[in-house]
Structure formats: structure tokens, C-alpha cells
Amino acid sequence: MSAVHEVIDLDEHDHRPAESGGTTPARLVARRKMNVRLVAAFVVGAVLGGVGVSELRDSRDERERNASVALVAFPTYIGGGGSGSDGPGVIQMNGQLAVINAGPAPITVGAAVGQRPGIQVRDTGQSRPLRPGGTGWIDVKLRIECSTAFESEPLSIRFSVETADRQVREVSYPVAVKGSAWHQGAEMPCRYVSYSGKGGG
């Protein structure tokens, strides 16, 4: 009987490793679940990180867009005024300057000042809000020396511009005055002051 019992003990002992080995698939499943969770966490982190980076990039792009300024300007009108007290061959007239907002954000154009030998331009103190692609007309005062004002050299006009982020920036734009509306409008008054100067001499 004891011999039979020993055989049974051996059989039972033989089954134990098999039973403990039977838990291996459960461990594999647990490892797979852990791997899946890690991958899912990585994917979620990557997505969230991508969204954060995208938002930061969008915010930076918006700031740059609001801060950027691009203008185009050209003379559109001259009239009124006449000879001033600055000497012979000099006239003072009223004019207008067209300003186009070529940038991506709305701006407000304030001061406009330009000077080179023969011509001076200054605004009359009125500001103009401009949407992107919009055009505004700025009233200016001109001081023109008839003999040199309309040479081929452009006149650099400095604009004071408030951007969408409420920062004030200065932007310069070279305005061609030779052959412009200012040039054409000043021809007759310049002839008059030149003739008067010769007649007075």
C-alpha cells in the first residue's frame, strides 16, 4: 500500500509543474495588456503633445501676423494753396496720399512725414484704420521747390502705424513723385511762381 501511495505521490508531484506552467498564458496576457496600455499612453501623449505644439504654433503665427506691416503708397491728389512765404519758386499745396494695407492684419495709419531736397510732406493729423487689402486716403501738406521737387529720386515717406496687437511701429515707403498726380497738379502753380519771379526781377 505504501508503494502505491508513493506512485500516487509522484503523479501528484508531476502535475504540479504542469499546473504552475498553466499560469504562463495568464502572465502573457497581462504583459500584452500592459504593452497595449503603454502604447495607448504613448499615442495619447503624442496626440496631446501635437495639439499643444499646434496651438503654440498657431498662437505664434497670429502674433507675427498681427505685428507685421506692409504698405503701398502713392500720390492721388494735389490742389489748393499757392505760393508761400518761403521764397521764390516755392509753393505750398494740399494733397492726398493713397495708402494700401498690403499686410495680413488690420492697421491704423497715423502720421505720414517725408522730406528730401525740393519737397516736404506732412500729414494733417488724421488717422486712418485700414483692413487687410483696404485703401485709405491721408490728407497732407506739401512744400514744393519747383526747380528740384520732381526729380527722378523717390520720396521716402515714414508712416506711424498701430498694428492689431496695439503696438506702434514706423514703416517707410518710397513714393515716386515724378510724373505723379502731385507733379501734374503742381506744374501750373510752378509756372506761375516762376513767371512772377522773372517778372519781379
Side-chain angles (χ1 to χ4, degrees):
M1 291 293 292
S2 61
V4 173
H5 183 67
E6 286 178 7
V7 171
I8 292 172
D9 284 344
L10 286 176
D11 288 342
E12 288 175 358
H13 183 69
D14 289 341
H15 282 292
R16 282 177 190 165
E19 287 174 1
S20 63
T23 60
T24 302
R27 287 181 183 169
L28 288 174
V29 169
R31 284 181 188 165
R32 285 179 188 159
K33 285 182 180 178
M34 181 61 70
N35 289 340
V36 168
R37 286 175 187 159
L38 288 174
V39 169
F42 175 77
V43 169
V44 169
V47 169
L48 291 176
V51 169
V53 169
S54 177
E55 287 180 354
L56 286 174
R57 188 182 300 117
D58 291 345
S59 176
R60 184 189 63 202
D61 290 346
E62 184 177 357
R63 283 196 305 271
E64 290 176 356
R65 190 165 53 249
N66 289 337
S68 65
V69 178
L71 296 178
V72 176
F74 55 91
T76 55
Y77 166 79
I78 190 171
S83 61
S85 59
D86 294 337
V90 177
I91 59 173
Q92 295 181 7
M93 302 191 74
N94 301 318
Q96 277 189 337
L97 191 64
V99 181
I100 300 172
N101 179 6
I107 58 173
T108 300
V109 180
V113 180
Q115 180 175 353
R116 70 161 169 75
I119 186 168
Q120 295 177 13
V121 177
R122 61 180 172 81
D123 66 281
T124 60
Q126 296 178 339
S127 59
R128 288 284 182 272
L130 294 175
R131 60 178 176 75
T135 303
W137 287 265
I138 297 177
D139 293 329
V140 295
K141 299 285 188 182
L142 297 107
R143 180 187 181 277
I144 297 169
E145 296 178 24
C146 294
S147 60
T148 57
F150 300 106
E151 295 175 349
S152 58
E153 182 183 350
L155 170 65
S156 179
I157 296 186
R158 189 173 67 254
F159 296 93
S160 176
V161 177
E162 182 180 335
T163 54
D165 59 358
R166 303 211 175 267
Q167 299 295 316
V168 177
R169 292 172 171 80
E170 287 195 347
V171 180
S172 294
Y173 188 83
V175 173
V177 292
K178 184 178 176 64
S180 69
W182 291 353
H183 188 183
Q184 295 168 13
E187 283 181 341
M188 188 65 70
C190 278
R191 282 200 201 103
Y192 176 78
V193 297
S194 298
Y195 178 78
S196 296
K198 289 176 183 177

